[in-house]
Amino acid sequence: MSRVLAVAPVFPGLPYDQSAITEVVVPLVAGDDERAATMLRRLHRNSGVTTRHLALAPEEYAGVRDFGRANDLHLTIGTDLAARAAREALTRAGTDPQEVDLVLFTSVTGIGAPSVDAALVERLGLRSDVKRLPSFGLGCAGGAAGLARVHDYLTGHPHDTALLVCLELCSLTLQHGDVDPAAMVASGLFGDGAAVAVLVGDAHPAAAGATGPQVVATRSRLYPGTAGDLGWQVGASGFRIVLSARLPDVVRAELPADVEGLLAAHGLKTGDVGRWVVHAGGPRILDAVEESLALPAGSLDASRASLAAVGNLSSASVLDVLDRTQRAGVPAGSPGVLLAFGPGVSAEMVLLHWPTAG
């Protein structure tokens, strides 16, 4: 098994009010189309988002009109942000950069070769022989899948230390003039940020005294016939969102059996779970999770708080929710379930267990 030593989400600049962001986005997306402008304002109001952080000053988005420009910004701004998050996570964990054996990097809002994780080696002072695993395409599931794959590695290398780095600058994917309803939903839902988790194997000396959760088990699911419900269409202007209105119905239909199966393998039921760490996919996704699993009121408060404060951070979202969950306090000996959804449609689930006091 493996242990989470620390989680650190960081954000670019100060948060902007959702209403202020809306008024910047309206002319870029809707132009003179008053009907589209009215719909966009309504969708932004109903997003569950109160504030968001942006990679650029709002007035600068008018000048980002092609994929090359957006991707260059993702690499420069994103590398700085990822480095900040990694330094903070390592500090919280009390871990020296030279101790890191593996870096798993995930992002779905930009791409590069060499990837951001390669730049982090020198920035952070990691060893030149550190193992790196960059990932693209997992989308919002990237944070949960990243924890799962780091856990797999640490199970086989129980003395090692690993970094999970999630970086998403969603605002740089804004498509000018795209009045498709899915694009307008996305323009009001997603935020910018990075989050890093430090994990160690169970045989690592730091594992014994850690207060963060132990990763007990993981489960991955790909739902047949849903490839057109979530993802990107990639073109000259960059990443254009694919976001089906039936996604909450997929969650309702498929999630309960998967979660129950994960828990049953460890002698647990949904009622035994003390904390639910769910990526802030939007109000309808959170409602679908809550209703399909028959969760008590307030079970997803940390997810809803994350959504309101910073928006859906894609892969980084679930780590922000985990950080909020831990800061709010978790009963000793409590099991938890961390989960997120991504393109495919896919679900990634992680069974956690917080240590017993003493």
Side-chain angles (χ1 to χ4, degrees), residues 11-17 21 51-56 58:
F11 306 96
L14 297 173
Y16 292 92
D17 287 340
I21 295 174
T51 58
R52 283 184 285 165
H53 296 257
L54 301 177
L56 303 175

Side-chain angles (χ1 to χ4, degrees), residues 36 51 62 79 83 91 98 109 122 130 137 147 168-169 185 193 195 241 243 277 303 321 329 345 350:
T51 58
T79 300
T91 298
Q98 289 283 301
T109 51
E122 187 172 348
V130 67
L147 277 178
E168 306 291 2
L169 300 183
V185 168
I241 193 74
L243 183 62
V277 182
S303 299
V321 177
V345 168
V350 180

Side-chain angles (χ1 to χ4, degrees), residues 183-195:
M184 289 196 284
V185 168
S187 73
L189 179 63
F190 290 93
D192 293 349

Side-chain angles (χ1 to χ4, degrees), residues 6 82 85-87 89-90 93 95-97 100-106 120 124 126 130-131 133 146 150 153-154 161-166 195-200:
R87 290 190 188 101
L90 289 166
T95 300
D96 188 280
V100 176
D101 302 289
L102 171 74
V103 178
L104 192 157
F105 169 72
T106 187
L120 292 179
L124 300 176
L126 304 179
V130 67
K131 302 176 185 72
L133 184 60
V150 167
Y153 170 83
L154 291 172
T161 301
L163 287 186
L164 168 62
V165 181
C166 301
V196 172
V198 182
L199 293 90
V200 294

Side-chain angles (χ1 to χ4, degrees), residues 27-30 61-66 173-179 237:
L28 300 181
V29 171
Y61 286 91
V64 184
R65 291 183 171 272
D66 66 84
T173 69
L174 179 71
Q175 298 292 298
H176 294 235
D178 189 348
V179 295
S237 62

Side-chain angles (χ1 to χ4, degrees), residues 239-334:
F239 301 130
R240 186 169 182 265
I241 193 74
V242 175
L243 183 62
S244 168
R246 80 183 193 107
L247 190 56
D249 295 331
V250 174
V251 171
R252 285 187 176 90
E254 303 286 356
L255 184 64
D258 288 328
V259 170
E260 289 165 10
L262 173 66
L263 294 173
H266 297 272
L268 298 169
K269 297 182 178 180
T270 54
D272 299 320
V273 177
R275 291 294 182 269
W276 294 90
V277 182
V278 181
H279 105 267
R284 294 182 66 213
I285 294 296
L286 294 177
D287 288 347
V289 171
E290 198 167 61
E291 292 164 10
S292 67
L293 299 178
L295 301 182
S299 295
L300 302 186
D301 281 355
S303 299
R304 297 186 192 279
S306 177
L307 179 66
V310 297
N312 180 351
L313 300 171
S314 191
S315 69
S317 175
V318 77
L319 294 187
D320 183 64
V321 177
L322 178 59
D323 180 60
R324 291 171 187 271
T325 298
Q326 297 205 131
R327 286 191 284 113
V330 180
S334 176

Side-chain angles (χ1 to χ4, degrees), residues 34 76 84 98-99 135 165 175 185 202 222 296 298 322 330 349:
E34 288 300 325
T76 55
R84 276 181 51 205
Q98 289 283 301
E99 297 176 41
S135 166
V165 181
Q175 298 292 298
V185 168
D202 270 0
L222 190 62
L322 178 59
V330 180
M349 293 152 278

